[in-house]
Amino acid sequence: MNTMPSVFGHSKSTATTSGTIKGQDNVFVRSYSDRLLKCDLTLDMLSENEKIKITERLVKIQNDGTVEVDVTRSALVASELSEIDAFGCVPHDIEEVTPGITKSVPKLKIAILVVGTRGDVQPFIALAKRLQEFGHYVRLATHVNFRTFVKSAGIDFYPLGGDPRVMAQYMTKNKGFFLAAPTEIAIQRKQLKEIIFSLLPACTEPDLDTGTPFRAQAIIANPPAYGHLHIAEALGAPLHIFFTFPWTPTNEFPHPLARMPQSATYRLSYLILDLIVWWGSRGFINDFRKKLNLPPIAYFSTYHGSISHLPTGYMWSPQLMPKPKGHKIFLVHMQS
């Protein structure tokens, strides 16, 4: 890794969690989640049948795992998602974060939560090793078939739920995204549920080999580790997203897995993709939140797979793909 953003305790961006870590200057508050829970939307007042009809008009899942989206079919969805986006976005006057450690950072217990294939896991091994060089205690939680891969790099491992063979087959076929044809929905929902409910022990249980106690003081996750936001909120731990794939809403290009007929709606494609995942997972997400003693989330009020309000880093060189204008996004060059 050539550059490493000062990930924890140095940004004044909107945070998702509450509480402080002993010896750390910044206070992380639940401002975003609390505000959105109070955001009443007309969409949430519709009947279940009306909600389903809106969904069917709005999106069409393609055989290759991409989604055809036409927001002109539902002006109400477009309007209210834009309202949520404006309501929850990070202010543009936040402090720029420059690479390198600029002040003393406490030694933290950090959980890295990664869902995906070997190509998704490998960059996080480089990130974990770099964090260990700074003195942090790092646990990488991912699929059980990557145990040897992770431990051989000198990083503590913890298994996430789900069948890695089923996951790998599906994610290769569908470009790594948790969308499926109707015949696959039940299988993927089961996989996703098992992953989500495994996040709590991954962040709180002792090491399986040594019995060394562990409780995450900070969390790093990739977006497909759905549930990252909720476990961070419950633990009062700062959450930082890293990914190898464009996932932050922008007006410059649509979500890579969305087909948008109008350039004016590019930004909404990210919100709608988040919303689709939320529709498919809201039942067991709310079950998970209940387990974490957190309040439930309404049908439309939040697309809680979203990372648009979270500190986000992308694992490629800006020479490969520059960050969109106006975005304060870390671009991290990872060496293999």
Side-chain angles (χ1 to χ4, degrees):
M1 181 190 304
N2 288 344
T3 59
M4 178 65 200
S6 44
V7 176
F8 301 111
H10 303 299
S11 174
K12 293 182 180 178
S13 59
T14 303
T16 60
T17 55
S18 66
T20 59
I21 298 171
K22 187 176 181 180
Q24 192 164 344
D25 293 336
N26 286 20
V27 177
F28 295 85
V29 297
R30 293 181 181 173
S31 59
Y32 181 82
S33 297
D34 288 346
R35 289 167 64 206
L36 282 185
L37 286 171
K38 298 173 183 177
C39 183
D40 296 325
L41 299 179
T42 303
L43 290 168
D44 278 323
M45 301 177 187
L46 301 177
S47 68
E48 286 296 309
N49 285 338
E50 289 173 317
K51 292 171 183 174
I52 291 172
K53 288 179 181 178
I54 286 178
T55 306
E56 292 174 343
R57 289 198 305 267
L58 188 64
V59 298
K60 184 177 180 181
I61 299 175
Q62 308 297 305
N63 291 333
D64 64 356
T66 60
V67 178
E68 181 183 326
V69 181
D70 189 349
V71 294
T72 62
R73 297 170 188 160
S74 179
L76 181 59
V77 170
S79 173
E80 295 212 333
L81 283 183
S82 295
E83 179 183 341
I84 290 177
D85 184 39
F87 188 67
C89 68
V90 177
H92 288 286
D93 60 350
I94 66 173
E95 177 182 304
E96 285 280 5
V97 181
T98 55
I101 298 299
T102 57
K103 63 178 180 179
S104 177
V105 177
K107 302 302 184 285
L108 304 175
K109 292 182 178 179
I110 302 172
I112 300 181
L113 312 174
V114 183
V115 170
T117 62
R118 181 187 172 101
D120 295 289
V121 175
Q122 186 164 349
F124 286 92
I125 289 181
L127 179 61
K129 292 176 70 173
R130 183 68 167 181
L131 289 169
Q132 287 182 161
E133 290 176 8
F134 288 128
H136 301 295
Y137 180 91
V138 183
R139 166 184 286 183
L140 203 164
T142 186
H143 311 298
V144 67
N145 54 317
F146 297 123
R147 181 181 188 277
T148 300
F149 183 40
V150 172
K151 291 186 71 68
S152 65
I155 303 162
D156 285 351
F157 170 84
Y158 200 92
L160 293 182
D163 186 327
R165 294 168 299 179
V166 174
M167 293 276 300
Q169 182 181 16
Y170 177 79
M171 296 181 78
T172 299
K173 175 184 175 184
N174 293 294
K175 302 180 177 66
F177 192 64
F178 272 107
L179 294 174
T183 55
E184 297 177 302
I185 288 176
I187 296 173
Q188 296 312 315
R189 279 175 55 85
K190 181 177 183 294
Q191 296 297 313
L192 185 53
K193 181 177 181 179
E194 290 180 2
I195 290 170
I196 289 170
F197 276 82
S198 69
L199 297 181
L200 181 59
C203 291
T204 59
E205 289 296 313
D207 186 274
L208 294 178
D209 295 327
T210 66
T212 303
F214 182 86
R215 183 180 177 87
Q217 297 171 298
I219 297 172
I220 292 173
N222 70 345
Y226 300 113
H228 45 61
L229 179 69
H230 314 286
I231 190 67
E233 182 179 347
L235 296 181
L239 170 64
H240 200 302
I241 299 295
F242 278 87
F243 208 23
T244 54
F245 201 78
W247 214 260
T248 301
T250 177
N251 292 315
E252 294 192 20
F253 50 83
H255 193 292
L257 300 181
R259 301 175 183 177
M260 304 293 290
Q262 299 170 320
S263 60
T265 58
Y266 281 171
R267 186 178 183 88
L268 286 180
S269 68
Y270 295 83
L271 312 183
I272 289 169
L273 266 291
D274 290 333
L275 190 58
I276 292 170
V277 174
W278 167 238
W279 284 334
S281 61
R282 70 187 189 283
F284 45 81
I285 282 287
N286 276 332
D287 289 342
F288 184 52
R289 288 180 66 84
K290 183 177 181 180
K291 181 180 179 67
L292 298 174
N293 295 315
L294 298 174
I297 303 169
Y299 193 97
F300 276 98
S301 287
T302 56
Y303 40 94
H304 258 57
S306 177
I307 65 167
S308 60
H309 61 291
L310 297 172
T312 302
Y314 286 105
M315 294 169 159
W316 61 73
S317 167
Q319 279 69 46
L320 176 63
M321 180 179 178
K323 66 181 179 181
K325 296 176 182 178
H327 286 256
K328 293 178 173 61
I329 302 169
F330 300 127
L331 290 169
V332 183
H333 182 202
M334 308 297 294
Q335 291 181 332
S336 58

